[in-house]
Amino acid sequence: NAGVTQTPKFQVLKTGQSMTLQCAQDMNHEYMSWYRQDPGMGLRLIHYSVGAGITDQGEVPNGYNVSRSTTEDFPLRLLSAAPSQTSVYFCASSYSFLGRTGESYEQYFGPGTRLTVT
Amino acid sequence: EDKVVQSPLSLVVHEGDTVTLNCSYEVTNFRSLLWYKQEKKAPTFLFMLTSSGIEKKSGRLSSILDKKELSSILNITATQTGDSAIYLCVVLKTSYDKVIFGPGTSLSVIP
């Protein structure tokens, strides 16, 4: 298994540009999510999906869109990039929603995408 | 406002030392607390704690949750240089809208 893959690894955008961060997993996981990590603020949930066709907002959804047309893919779209969106973005997946699988729960993370908006 | 606090924020120890990392939380509708280890890549899962007072162990790492004190500790005994990482404390809510991450404790283990 490749696990959770993300592309690109690095990206520089100008203010106002749009782009899509790709995320895919080959573990047949039901739950996928996007986080951003900023210094001193920990990881914050942007959007999540509990299954194909189902998405919902997390803690910091503004400026981002997601879709989940297949179980494997969960792309994150930046509609009009702003410097405040400079961050490291992580995609994660798990068998089920956080904790529902019980004590053996694990959430798998992708390697991250470092995005800079100038 | 939900929040997770970790202390210390950074720590430098020598190989062989024992360290204790702290996590406290103020979260409504608490479900579980998780610990992750993050090196120069994505976080990796360590423990999930749901019940108070039950210690989880994995090798030299152990963790316990105290729901009365709204806190958890992560212990690492006989530290090694490979333990150098950021340790993240994460709280899950019973609702589906938020996962609260602490700022992390940066641990450096020097030979």
Side-chain angles (χ1 to χ4, degrees):
Chain A
N1 286 351
V4 181
T5 57
Q6 287 182 239
T7 56
K9 288 200 170 113
F10 301 94
Q11 183 70 50
V12 179
L13 291 178
K14 290 188 183 339
T15 297
Q17 287 185 314
S18 62
M19 79 157 294
T20 299
L21 307 185
Q22 301 291 343
C23 174
Q25 51 89 12
D26 60 358
M27 297 173 281
N28 201 31
H29 283 172
E30 184 180 307
Y31 179 77
M32 296 184 75
S33 54
W34 276 101
Y35 298 91
R36 59 177 289 173
Q37 185 172 38
D38 302 297
M41 299 189 73
L43 278 161
R44 293 180 292 169
L45 183 65
I46 305 172
H47 285 285
Y48 67 94
S49 168
V50 298
I54 307 168
T55 64
D56 208 342
Q57 296 180 351
E59 185 181 358
V60 288
N62 292 339
Y64 307 95
N65 272 358
V66 292
S67 60
R68 185 94 179 268
S69 55
T70 66
T71 300
E72 295 77 21
D73 301 298
F74 190 45
L76 177 73
R77 294 185 195 84
L78 277 71
L79 308 172
S80 177
S84 61
Q85 292 179 305
T86 293
S87 188
V88 180
Y89 291 84
F90 288 101
C91 177
S93 74
S94 62
Y95 288 109
S96 186
F97 185 72
L98 307 167
R100 208 195 299 167
T101 54
E103 300 305 310
S104 62
Y105 167 83
E106 285 192 359
Q107 190 170 39
Y108 297 82
F109 283 82
T113 295
R114 186 174 294 275
L115 175 68
T116 302
V117 183
T118 60
Chain B
E1 182 186 346
D2 296 325
K3 69 178 179 182
V4 174
V5 176
Q6 291 186 244
S7 64
L9 292 181
S10 66
L11 187 59
V12 180
V13 300
H14 286 96
E15 266 191 318
D17 287 350
T18 293
V19 298
T20 297
L21 310 184
N22 300 286
C23 175
S24 62
Y25 59 90
E26 292 177 25
V27 175
T28 56
N29 302 314
F30 173 89
R31 183 189 181 101
S32 303
L33 185 146
L34 283 71
W35 285 97
Y36 285 86
K37 177 182 181 182
Q38 183 175 21
E39 298 167 273
K40 291 183 181 178
K41 50 181 190 251
T44 53
F45 173 80
L46 294 175
F47 300 110
M48 183 176 81
L49 306 162
T50 304
S51 302
S52 199
I54 299 174
E55 186 182 48
K56 294 280 186 85
K57 293 195 75 168
S58 176
R60 296 176 292 104
L61 278 66
S62 64
S63 184
I64 195 163
L65 175 67
D66 186 338
K67 283 185 170 179
K68 187 176 173 186
E69 296 296 326
L70 306 182
S71 65
S72 173
I73 59 171
L74 175 67
N75 281 320
I76 309 175
T77 59
T79 52
Q80 302 170 356
T81 55
D83 295 326
S84 296
I86 295 172
Y87 290 84
L88 297 171
C89 175
V90 181
V91 172
L92 314 183
K93 301 182 67 161
T94 54
S95 58
Y96 292 101
D97 64 345
K98 194 185 286 188
V99 175
I100 305 103
F101 282 74
T105 293
S106 176
L107 174 66
S108 296
V109 181
I110 53 178

